[in-house]
Structures are given as structure tokens and as C-alpha cells.
Amino acid sequence: MRPTPIVGPDSRFGGLTTATASCLRGNDDGLSGAMRRPYFECMGSADHPSEIPAPYEPVSLEAKWRARWAELGTNVADIPNAARPYYALMMFPYPSAEGLHVGNMFAFTGNDIFARFQRMQGLSVFQPLGYDAFGIHSENYALKVGVHPAEMIPRNIANFRRQLERGGLMVDWTRSLSTTDPEYYRWTQWVFLQLYKQGLVHKKAAAVNWCPTDKTVLANEQVVAGACERCGSVVEQRFLEQWFFAISRYSERLLANLDSLDWSETTKTAQRNWIGKSEGAEIWFDGIKVFTTRPDTIFGATYVVLAPEHPLVDAHTTEEQRAAVDEYRERASRRDLVSRKTSKDKTGVSTGSTVTNPATGEQIPVWVSDYVLMEYGSGAIMAVPAHDERDLEFAHGFELPVKKVVHEDDTLIESGEFTGLTVHDAKRAIVGSLAAKDKAAAVTNYRLHDWCISRQRYWGPPIPIIYCDDCGVVPVPEKDLPVLLPMIEDFKPDDSGISPLARHDEWYRVPCPTCAKMARRETDVSDTFLDSAWYFLRYPNVGNDSVAFDPDVTKKWLPVDSYIGGNEHAVLHLLYSRFVTMVLHDAGLIEFDEPFTKFRAHGLIIREGAKMSKSKGNVVNPDEYIEAWGADTFRTYLMFLGPFEEGGDFRDKGISGVRRFLDRLWASVRDSSPDTAPDAEVDRKLHATIRKVGDDIPRLSYNTAIAAMMEYMNVLRKNDRVPRRAEVESLVQLVAPFAPHLAEELWEQLGHSGTIFDSAWPTFDPALLATDDVDIVVQVNGKMRGRLRVTRDADESIAHALAMADTSIAKFVSGTPRKIIFVPGRLLNIVV
RNA sequence: GCGAGGAUGGCGAAAUUGGUAGACGCACCAGCCUUAGGAGCUGGCGGUUAACACCUUGGGGGUUCGAGUCCCCCUCCUCGCACCA
């Protein structure tokens, strides 16, 4: 460490900055008022070249440090040799043609701050970033603008890369990836084959959600209230042969493991609800098996309802009712899911037959209605109008008997031998009694369905399967991967339900890997969510094309230490990633069965109180702000908006306050002197700030960390005080995760060599924070009446005596106090 | 309907265990400096009041010496799921 030179600004600042020649004034710069460059950047212009010191000029300064980081490999992790590996992951973006969204920047900056902080704690941080570039989104956009996605995506990626680099992220770009790279999706196909080997992949003709606009099958998760989540079209039912992953077999494990994960509680709750475990019973009403979670209400069951698709409908339909039932089933099959799933008007038809209620022995009618879903439970229910709103509504609509109530509060009534039992006890007793007669069994149902991964589209990894007339379904041998996605021009999907790849027999006709006879490739591609369900395993292995992931590297770096992303992926992506990880674990390929040790969801950025949208024209373009204010200011402002996990309101005027803070930091270092006398108040504040910032960053409370640094700055610069060098040096380190370029520059100005991110995070002296005197609050009857400065170890009697000596407090106290509450070092409450 | 989260000055927001409500910032006001100021510095800034004081964290009740924080009821907002038996 060499002393700060106290000479002219030029030598102190290494001649880096020259005054901005073209200071932007007026409105001719085309930017809004709030976006205009601060006037003071013009200081040091030709008018006063020598008196006014070099200003903080972020644009050139940031370019300098971007170049230096790239040159020195500052952000590159030592994958094979890192001593204390720390994997800080953020969800990779879809590289849209519109460029980086401010929401991406917000999320990435939040991760970057945490990553840089961890590095300054001495960890070897690996922070990769890639692109989730396959999928309907790209394909639809490509169709819209008439460009091939294979041409569009690399362009978008180049633009994203440029924007991301300008954001100053500590990303290891030597290990980036795009899901569209054959070197990547080769292994996506390999993952498919591993699941196949585990017997977790099956093909079945299934009623699927078909989007008539996007002309593709959608996963249940992609259907929102009966409509396509992407385009909003009403989803139709179709029957197609689809590949499924048996994620439902992992329901219980996916649910149970949640308890031990360090994830946001909201995310865990969303997963629990999605898995939707419900414990109940299957009960036989003669030949019909119903599922119920309320076997205790069986004495109130007055009819049975079958889903229209239920295979037993025919068998239970009488001759008189056959025509009506067939007509109803036909109508129901065409009925779109929106009205079926959201309409409250219940439709249905009687089968004309009856079955026996196994608890009462009564004959009760069997009906068919589409308010009962074939996909859930057994596709049949016992209806209890007295205790179920839907059943009641149906019963009213069709004038079915609305039988007796069988509960009074928590106790069963009119329930035969079970009358008097509590609901809890009755559930068990009734199921037990019926089970003894082979008429019931306790079962657990999950809402989670198998994952349909087939997409009748072009822009995705071809599913590595070959159909041979002789050998049947043959998985593509691993040595033959990747199955390359061919470059075709007519990639537009049609209404056939068959992938565009099926139009290219030169592609899909291949020899069977087993018997060499001509066979056909599967022409569907896989769901984008498969691409993203394992990408975290690939990052540390990028460059190694002989395996998907090397066991030693994987053991060293995974599971991911911390993961940050949007809560819109709370269910889909995070659940699928957990599933794939469990399967790879069970196959003996990795040693852990949960991919993300810690997950935090970031919040959303709105603008001036409203959601950002292209149609409203209020989208924040990061480029413009970085241009006008610098990436450091932009980053710090994004983090200052509000709590990271809640998001915040981007208000154009607010950014100036953050810029002012960084300007003052610049000036403080410039003006600092080794000769300034130590100041106890400043020292105390510094150490309190070191503690505060160090506490806040790990809990992602970035807004309060920044506020604390601002407070310190206010103390440091009070009345234009000249700071001591040591006082600013620590502050530069605290600011570094937020404003990395500026911090590097100031660190260099302060005489250090090497990156500031290899310096050790400053420590605080607890002794300095434990002062001899403390302020305690004095209350009378709980109302604040004053405060006292007492010694740290002052007891109740001393504090009381001091309080009574203070007339402004004593005047509220008449007579003898009834009670005195004393919290040492905190407060004295006199109750009269 | 179910689930989760939220409501604090003109605005964005703080308040880590129940213990000074409004830190920090924006905007605004005043002063200093200045040829000039969209720079910098200093001070002010929830409401009522001349003042003492009183009121104030969506509304109402409660627990407590003391409640933004805990409990009960209600209103509104955001997000997720939704005929899941």
C-alpha cells in the first residue's frame, strides 16, 4: 500500500478522465428530462481545466474496467482447482429480439451482488449465464417477422451478451451455453435416454390440451383457466400419441423433500399446492369405485356421478336412457375446457340405473356429468349434497334428493353405528369398517400429472427415438447423439397435429440402430422445460464434449449453492429440475437428489406505479439508462428501489439520488487525506456500517445496505469534512458489489493493485460499537416522554433517579409509580 | 371458492426479539455559495395547534406497562390455483 499522492488531479487519476466535450443540455439529446446527464459532469470542461478536479465519468471508466476484467480473466472461475467452490446461479433468460428487459437486469444484478460479496468472503465463486433459446416463443416470433430462428437466435444472443456485459456482471463467459447449441442439446437428448432407461418415459394416446393458435400440445401447467398461457386461445381437447415423463411417481418425494430445502416459503407452498396431495378413500358402490376425501359423509350420499369419459358409463346406462346419455357424452367431448372447468351451470344426464350405498344399503341413482373429471381420483364420485356445494347445485338442478345433514359441528349424526363420532374418528372408522367387507381402501391422491414432453413443433431438440417396423420403439444409441435438428425453411406448424419435421422424409427416414432396416425418426421435439431442467449441471462442464457432466467436477460444484429467479417458475421449472435431479441420482449418476440448496425469488419491477408493457410504452430500456447514468448507478438504483424479494417501483427521478451518492464517493476518495485526525463518531459509524452491510447482503436486503452506506457518507462528509484515507477505503469495498467498476477504479486510485474483488471484506471492531454511554427512552404510561444518556451498565434506580430529575419527564409523574419497567440499555417505563 | 403475500408521509420505502414510527432516497421549502445553478453545502419537511400538547402505520375490537409488529373480526389490493370430490 502506498500513500495517496496529494498532487494534481491528473496524476491522481492516472490521466484516465478527460472532461466531456459534449455536455448534453437542453432537449436536443432526445432523452427525457430525468434521463439527461447531470450538469456537473460538465465541470472540468475547457473553461476551468486546471482548478476543477476530474469528474466521475462512468461511461469511459466502465469501459476501461470491462476491458481489464476480460483481459485478466477476473471473472473466470477455476473449475478444476477452486479451493472453496461456490456456485451462484441465476435463471437464464430467453434471448428475445427486444433485448434485455430491466427485470432481467434487476434479477441478475441481485445475484451478482451476492456473488461478488461471497467472493470477497474468500470463496471461489462461479457465476455462469446462458440462454434458454429453444421453444415456441422464439419460433412464433420468427414466424411473425419471417426470419428463421436459427438466424435470429444468434443475433439476439449477441445483443444480450453486449447488454449483459455492460451491466458489469461477474459472469464467467468462458462457460456460457445456449440450449440451441448441438453441444448442449446433445446432452438434453442424453437426459431423455437416461429417463428412458429408468423406465420413466412412456408413450400414450391421451386427451391433450391443444392450442388451435400455436397448433401444439400444451402441458397442464401451460393451460391457464382453460386458455393457452401464451396466446390466450381457448384450449381444445385432442387425442394424440404423446411422450410422457412419469413425474407423478415422484410426487411423495417431491413433496417430502421440500421440508428440508432452504427456499422461499411462498415457492414451497406453491409446489405443495401443485403436487396437491389429498388423503382419502376409494369406496365401492357396487361396481363403481369412487374417490372421496370425506368418507365420513357417506351416510349423506344420495347419488353417484361418473365422468362422461368413464368406461363404466355404458354398462350402467339403461336402454331408455341410452340415447340421452350418448348425446350428452358427445356434447361433453366437444365442450371446451373453459366452460367445462369454470362454468357454474352444471349439466348432466341420468343413466337410469342405481347402485348400492355400501354404508346404508340404499339404492341410489347413477348420473353422468362433466363436473366430475376423469383425470382426477377414479373419475367417479359419491354426491353428498348436504355437505358439498357442487353436489348441492347439481342436485337442485336435477331435482335429486338433497338428503339429510350428517354432521353437527364436528360430530356425526344419523350415521348408524358411527353416530356420535368426531369427523376425524369417523373417517377412519368408516373406511375401516367398509375395508373389512372389501368395499373400501384408504388411498392418497396427487393432483400432479405426468409431464407431457412432446411438442409438434420445429424449434426444439428432436426426441431421440426411432420407430422400426420390426424392432418397435428403439431409443437412439447414445453414441449417435445428437440427433441434429435439420435446417428447414417450412417450419410453420399446421393443423395436422404432426410436427413440421414429418414433412421431411430425407430427415426422418433412418436405418434402425438395431436391425439396420429403414425406420422412421420420432418427429416431435421435446418441451423447452426439459432443456432448462438440467442446465445447471452443464455449466461447469461446458467445453467437455465427451460427457454431459464430469463426476469430479459435478461433485465439486453441485448442488447449486444459491439460486435466484422469478417466482413465475415456482412450479414448472423448479419442479421439473428437482424431478430430473432425483432421477439422475437414482440412476447413480450424481450424488445429490436436490439441485438447489437455497432458492430465493426476486420481486418484480413496475414503473411509476404501473406494470411495464410494450403497449403502454413504459418499458425501461437498460441501454438508455446505462448510457446516461452509468451501469454502476443503474445497478445500485435498481437495488435501492425496494426489497429485492419484493421488487420495486422504478421512478425516473429517483435515480439521481443514487448517482449523487456515487459522485460523493468519488469526491470523497479524491479529497481524502492521510492527515485528517481520527474522529470517534465517524469511526463508530464506519464500523456500524460494515456490520450492517455485511448483515444485509446475505439476506438480500440490498436497499437497506445502500441506505446504510448513504448514512455513513452523510456523516463522513458532514460540513465538507476532508475524510481520512482509511475511512473511505473500507467504504469503497462495501460499495464494490453494487458499483463494481467505480470501486475498482477507486481501489486503484487508493494505490492497490489487483482486483478489489480479491481483497478481503472489511471487518468491524465490536468493541468500538459497544459504547460506554447509551441513550435510553423514558416512557410514562407507555408514552414517550424523553430520553436519557446513561452509562451502559446503569441500573433501574439510577435511570429512575435521572428521569425524575428531568422536569420535562417528571411533570408527567405524580405520586408514587405503580410499576416500573426497565429494559437495560433500552428503555424505562414509569407506570403511574 | 381455496392458497400465498400485502395496505406505513406528497412519492419509493425503513423499523432483525413486542420497546424512540417514518432511517435512506425522491419531490418540495428556506438559507449559504455563485457571473450563473438542473452543481455543492446547511437546515426544514406526517397531521392538528399560537403554544403546552394531542392525533397518526387500511377499519373495528382484544392481549400488554408498552402493538406497525401478537390474537379475533372486517374492507380493499396483488399474485397463484381453481368443478381436484
Side-chain angles (χ1 to χ4, degrees), chain A residues 549-560:
Chain A
F549 41 85
D550 176 89
D552 292 336
V553 166
T554 305
K555 186 173 180 180
K556 191 177 180 74
W557 288 93
L558 282 120
V560 171

Side-chain angles (χ1 to χ4, degrees), chain A residues 735-757:
Chain A
V735 167
F738 298 87
H741 315 84
L742 175 60
E744 288 277 34
E745 178 67 22
L746 295 176
W747 193 242
E748 187 176 76
Q749 303 308 335
L750 286 163
H752 298 279
S753 59
T755 172
I756 191 171
F757 298 102

Side-chain angles (χ1 to χ4, degrees), chain A residues 63-84:
Chain A
K64 165 185 166 183
W65 285 98
R66 273 201 307 278
R68 186 160 316 171
W69 290 332
E71 182 194 329
L72 299 178
T74 310
N75 301 339
V76 177
D78 184 354
I79 295 292
N81 304 312
R84 297 172 61 196

Side-chain angles (χ1 to χ4, degrees), chain A residues 648-690:
Chain A
D649 190 359
F650 193 101
R651 308 179 73 253
D652 287 359
K653 286 189 170 172
I655 197 169
S656 61
V658 168
R659 174 59 192 261
R660 198 167 290 144
F661 167 66
L662 296 184
D663 280 323
R664 295 178 85 195
L665 176 63
W666 174 272
S668 301
V669 173
R670 180 193 62 205
D671 299 342
S672 65
S673 158
D675 301 330
T676 304
D679 179 301
E681 194 204 349
V682 173
D683 278 353
R684 213 165 22 243
K685 190 70 183 172
L686 172 60
H687 285 252
T689 305
I690 292 171

Side-chain angles (χ1 to χ4, degrees), chain A residues 20 34-42 55-59 62 625-634 636-637 640 653-667 706 710 742:
Chain A
T20 11
M35 300 267 311
R36 217 167 295 132
R37 273 197 160 136
Y39 171 79
F40 50 83
E41 278 186 23
C42 302
Y56 168 39
E57 226 305 355
V59 174
E62 288 169 6
Y625 283 84
I626 289 176
E627 196 73 45
W629 296 94
D632 285 335
T633 298
F634 188 60
T636 309
Y637 180 53
F640 188 57
K653 286 189 170 172
I655 197 169
S656 61
V658 168
R659 174 59 192 261
R660 198 167 290 144
F661 167 66
L662 296 184
D663 280 323
R664 295 178 85 195
L665 176 63
W666 174 272
I706 295 163
M710 287 172 164
L742 175 60

Side-chain angles (χ1 to χ4, degrees), chain A residues 30-240:
Chain A
L31 295 171
S32 68
M35 300 267 311
R36 217 167 295 132
R37 273 197 160 136
Y39 171 79
F40 50 83
E41 278 186 23
C42 302
M43 295 197 312
S45 65
D47 295 346
H48 313 281
S50 54
E51 294 97 328
I52 300 178
Y56 168 39
E57 226 305 355
V59 174
S60 55
L61 181 153
E62 288 169 6
K64 165 185 166 183
W65 285 98
R66 273 201 307 278
R68 186 160 316 171
W69 290 332
E71 182 194 329
L72 299 178
T74 310
N75 301 339
V76 177
D78 184 354
I79 295 292
N81 304 312
R84 297 172 61 196
Y86 192 92
Y87 192 169
L89 184 66
M90 46 195 153
M91 287 184 185
F92 60 170
Y94 159 68
S96 73
E98 291 91 40
L100 195 64
H101 188 267
V102 68
N104 297 137
M105 206 56 222
F106 175 76
F108 299 157
T109 302
N111 199 60
D112 192 56
I113 288 164
F114 186 65
R116 289 179 183 276
F117 173 76
Q118 292 290 50
R119 177 165 174 168
M120 292 173 82
Q121 304 297 313
L123 298 172
S124 311
V125 175
F126 177 44
Q127 184 181 221
L129 191 56
Y131 308 95
D132 188 18
F134 263 140
I136 291 178
H137 197 141
S138 318
E139 193 179 304
N140 285 352
Y141 189 86
L143 285 166
K144 194 173 122 194
V145 301
V147 180
H148 198 281
E151 191 184 316
M152 181 184 81
I153 289 297
R155 233 167 33 211
N156 293 355
I157 286 178
N159 186 42
F160 260 64
R161 172 74 181 267
R162 178 189 63 79
Q163 290 187 297
L164 291 163
E165 290 205 39
R166 287 195 72 183
L169 302 172
M170 192 179 76
V171 164
D172 181 349
W173 291 110
T174 65
R175 293 174 200 277
S176 188
L177 60 83
S178 168
T179 53
T180 54
D181 297 335
E183 304 80 56
Y184 181 82
Y185 72 71
R186 167 187 188 175
W187 302 115
T188 304
Q189 293 167 336
W190 177 87
V191 168
F192 175 96
L193 295 177
Q194 304 317 301
L195 269 84
Y196 193 91
K197 272 198 245 173
Q198 297 296 306
L200 292 163
V201 184
H202 55 275
K203 196 172 194 192
K204 64 180 179 192
V208 292
N209 306 296
W210 175 262
C211 173
T213 302
D214 290 339
K215 301 194 193 314
T216 192
V217 169
L218 302 171
N220 286 329
E221 291 85 341
Q222 291 163 324
V223 180
V224 177
C228 174
E229 79 168 352
R230 194 163 294 285
C231 68
S233 309
V234 169
V235 170
E236 297 168 358
Q237 271 187 286
R238 276 205 181 184
F239 283 85
L240 291 176

